[in-house]
Amino acid sequence: MRDAVHASIAAIVPAGGRARRFGSDKTLASIGGATLVGRAVDACRAAGAEPIVVVGPHENAVPGTLGACEEPPFGGPVAAIAAGLARLDEADLVAVVAADMPFAGDALAALVAVVVSDDGVDGACAVDPEGRRQPLLAVYRTRALSDALAALGEPAGAAMRALTRSMTLVEVPCGAAAIDIDTPEALARAGGRAP
C-alpha cells in the first residue's frame, strides 16, 4: 500500500434519500453559507479525493463532480455506493461521506490516516458522540468495498450493516464530526456550530 501522500483517493457522496423527517431535500439546505451536499463535497476535496461522485437527483449536482443515480431511485445508501463505485476508475481508497454530515471534514484526514497506516484493515469508519458506528462517514479500501458489494448481491434496499459485516473496519471516535442532519431542528442546532 502506498503511503498517505501517494495513495489515490476517490469519494462517493450519497445524496439521494427521501428526507421524510426533514420535509424537503435536506441536501440543498444551507448551513454556514453552503449547502449540505456542497459541504460534503468540500470535505472530500480537502482530503484530496478526486474524482468525487455525487449520487442523487440532478439538482444535487455540484460543479466539478461526477453525477450518478442509484437504481432504483431511492434504493438506499448501499445502492448509492454501488452506483458511485461504478463511476470511478481505480483508486486505492474510497471516502464515503453522506450529504447530511456537515462537519465530516473534521474527520476525514484521521480516517484516511488510519487506513493507510494499517495494511490489515479494510477501512475506517467514524463513531458518533453516542457511540454509534457511522459507515456513511468512512474511508474504505476500494478492492474491499468492491468485493463486499459483489458478495452482497442486490444492493437496492440493503443495509450498510450487511455490506460491512465481513469487512475489517477500525472504529474512530469522531465526536461532532459524525453528526448527521435528519430534521430542521438538527439543522438549526448545527448552524450554531458552523464556521
Side-chain angles (χ1 to χ4, degrees):
M1 182 69 194
R2 293 182 268 185
D3 61 37
V5 174
H6 298 100
S8 58
I9 305 169
I12 299 169
V13 177
R18 292 186 192 271
R20 287 187 181 104
R21 288 191 287 165
F22 197 82
S24 62
D25 186 348
K26 65 182 173 179
T27 66
L28 298 180
S30 182
I31 181 172
T35 63
L36 290 179
V37 68
R39 288 178 69 99
V41 168
D42 287 347
C44 294
R45 285 186 176 136
E50 182 64 35
I52 300 167
V53 182
V54 176
V55 184
H58 294 295
E59 63 264 31
N60 286 338
V62 176
T65 65
L66 301 174
C69 190
E70 63 269 44
E71 188 56 47
F74 306 113
V78 177
I81 290 171
L85 202 57
R87 291 292 318 266
L88 296 174
D89 293 327
E90 187 63 31
D92 297 317
L93 307 175
V94 176
V96 174
V97 178
D100 64 356
M101 298 184 126
F103 307 116
D106 295 339
L108 273 182
L111 295 170
V112 170
V114 167
V115 178
V116 298
S117 70
D118 187 346
D119 286 337
V121 302
D122 295 322
C125 71
V127 174
D128 72 13
E130 283 75 47
R132 292 179 302 233
R133 181 186 270 199
Q134 294 284 0
L136 293 177
L137 176 51
V139 175
Y140 300 98
R141 293 193 192 282
T142 305
R143 183 171 302 281
L145 187 58
S146 180
D147 290 348
L149 280 165
L152 182 66
E154 174 56 49
M160 285 299 296
R161 175 176 58 257
L163 176 65
T164 61
R165 182 178 298 128
S166 63
M167 299 175 78
T168 302
L169 300 177
V170 176
E171 296 183 353
V172 179
C174 292
I179 292 172
D180 59 348
I181 304 297
D182 289 324
T183 64
E185 294 76 20
L187 180 69
R189 285 192 302 273
R193 298 188 65 250

